[in-house]
Amino acid sequence: MIDAKTAARKAFTGRAPWTYLYLFLIPFINWAYAAVPTIPLPDHGEWTPLAIVTGLVLVVRDFAQREIGHWIFIPLIIGLAISFKMAPAEIALASAVAFGISESVDWALFTFLKLPLSKRVFISAAIGSPIDTTVFYMMAATAIPGIFNIWAIGASILSKLVGCVIVYLLMKNREKKAALATT
């Protein structure tokens, strides 16, 4: 387990690149939801192209937690605070609630499962992404009418899971090579 001093030293000496990326992605994605135009759907809903990239933040979070441990909630809170300055309040609030729920699930799975990192990342994203997506789109619909629909939710969850599978396979391959190198 990483103590506060070690986490701070990593963060302030440039040895936490995943944490920096995580901190950047939170407000950037929230800002982009308000800035990127939606595409009308035949069912009168709206689809956002951001739906295909949001899964990145969940996987990056797992790598950031590996760098700074249980202190992962500090960059989350900072990122959400910045979001309230960069994005409409409805988007920032939707993000805060969705992150709060999914990150707690993610954190618990990532922390307590004693499995290889690749499997923990896969399981946490597989459970966290549907929760995060559904809560976010339901609440974001107050700022972006029509966004809470099966197409937007499905595209977002699917992109998160595809990204998760790719990262899982890359990590599993790296773990396999590391195991072979030590034998």
Side-chain angles (χ1 to χ4, degrees):
M1 176 144 49
I2 297 174
D3 61 24
K5 186 176 179 180
T6 303
R9 189 171 346 120
K10 280 184 166 187
F12 291 114
T13 60
R15 295 182 312 173
W18 291 106
T19 303
Y20 304 140
L21 180 58
Y22 179 61
L23 180 58
F24 167 79
L25 284 173
I26 295 167
F28 174 75
I29 289 173
N30 288 329
W31 167 82
Y33 262 97
V36 174
T38 58
I39 298 167
L41 295 171
D43 68 353
H44 305 293
E46 296 286 328
W47 183 75
T48 176
L50 264 293
I52 59 175
V53 297
T54 55
L56 177 65
V57 75
L58 295 179
V59 174
V60 169
R61 189 215 68 87
D62 288 335
F63 288 114
Q65 182 174 346
R66 188 171 182 206
E67 289 175 340
I68 62 170
H70 298 297
W71 304 99
I72 193 66
F73 287 102
I74 292 172
L76 171 63
I77 291 166
I78 294 168
L80 290 171
I82 295 168
S83 291
F84 276 95
K85 296 291 184 190
M86 295 181 63
E90 299 90 351
I91 300 292
L93 181 61
S95 179
V97 171
F99 263 120
I101 294 168
S102 70
E103 294 297 320
S104 296
V105 170
D106 238 16
W107 172 83
L109 291 169
F110 193 84
T111 301
F112 298 115
L113 287 180
K114 301 302 178 204
L115 297 171
L117 180 62
S118 61
K119 289 183 181 179
R120 286 184 288 170
V121 168
F122 181 80
I123 292 168
S124 68
I127 293 173
S129 63
I131 296 167
D132 175 81
T133 300
T134 304
V135 169
F136 177 79
Y137 280 112
M138 186 170 48
M139 293 182 70
T142 61
I144 308 170
I147 198 172
F148 185 68
N149 65 71
I150 192 69
W151 301 106
I153 293 170
S156 186
I157 292 171
L158 183 62
S159 72
K160 290 173 183 179
L161 295 179
V162 167
C164 178
V165 168
I166 292 168
V167 170
Y168 168 76
L169 293 173
L170 292 171
M171 291 178 71
K172 185 137 176 87
N173 189 36
R174 183 183 298 162
E175 289 168 354
K176 194 179 288 185
K177 284 181 182 179
L180 288 173
T182 60
T183 57

